[in-house]
Amino acid sequence: MITGLSIATVWVLDQDSAKEFYTSKLGFEVRTDAEMGPGARWLTVGSPRQPDVELTLCVPGPPMLDPESAEQVRALVGKGVLGAGVMATDDCHATYRELSAKGVVFLQEPAERPYGIEAVFRDDSGNWFSLTQRHERPAPTAASG
């Protein structure tokens, strides 16, 4: 039985640059940084507030991708067309100001959405992320389930 998601892959163009971005700008911590053989590196980061979830910062290539597919993924990442997920925050406006001051590039400033307040930023490889402060969900009542 699957019990949850523990690691998600984010394709990056340079692992050292990505490591610096995710730790110094986003405030993540390095969980694993290990050589896995010639030309292979296992690099994971995660939020200190969420120890059970990690992002593996992976350069497209073998053994996960053949050379032709790896080049296509690198081109898409570099073009900035891949969305890599949603980063949660307790205060979207404050986090937007904090990350902007650190040089994080935002594509959209914080705005009200049906699900909460959202801003959109790019990492140093070109991946875009939603930065979202979810609306409070009302507690279920006896009538609603």
Side-chain angles (χ1 to χ4, degrees):
M1 170 200 275
I2 294 174
T3 60
L5 177 70
S6 63
I7 300 174
T9 298
V10 176
W11 297 112
V12 299
L13 301 177
D14 179 280
Q15 286 179 308
D16 289 326
S17 179
K19 179 180 175 181
E20 175 67 20
F21 177 87
Y22 281 83
T23 57
S24 69
K25 296 194 187 251
L26 300 187
F28 284 20
E29 59 190 16
V30 173
R31 302 280 174 77
T32 306
D33 191 351
E35 295 299 322
M36 301 296 290
R41 179 179 178 193
W42 182 253
L43 174 61
T44 68
V45 297
S47 169
R49 291 181 54 184
Q50 197 173 23
D52 57 335
V53 177
E54 300 176 58
L55 298 177
T56 181
L57 305 177
C58 188
V59 175
M64 297 175 75
L65 298 173
D66 62 84
E68 181 182 344
S69 297
E71 184 53 41
Q72 291 170 340
V73 171
R74 277 192 293 277
L76 290 171
V77 170
K79 196 173 180 181
V81 298
L82 297 181
V86 177
M87 301 281 183
T89 181
D90 296 328
D91 185 335
C92 190
H93 290 281
T95 304
Y96 167 79
R97 289 189 299 272
E98 173 191 340
L99 295 180
S100 292
K102 291 180 177 181
V104 174
V105 175
F106 277 83
L107 305 174
Q108 295 176 12
E109 295 181 3
E112 252 329 297
R113 304 282 187 239
Y115 45 83
I117 302 169
E118 176 190 48
V120 177
F121 70 90
R122 285 198 194 283
D123 71 6
D124 67 315
S125 290
N127 297 297
W128 60 267
F129 288 88
S130 168
L131 174 68
T132 301
Q133 174 187 342
R134 299 287 302 253
H135 286 309
E136 294 290 322
R137 295 184 182 162
T141 62
S144 66

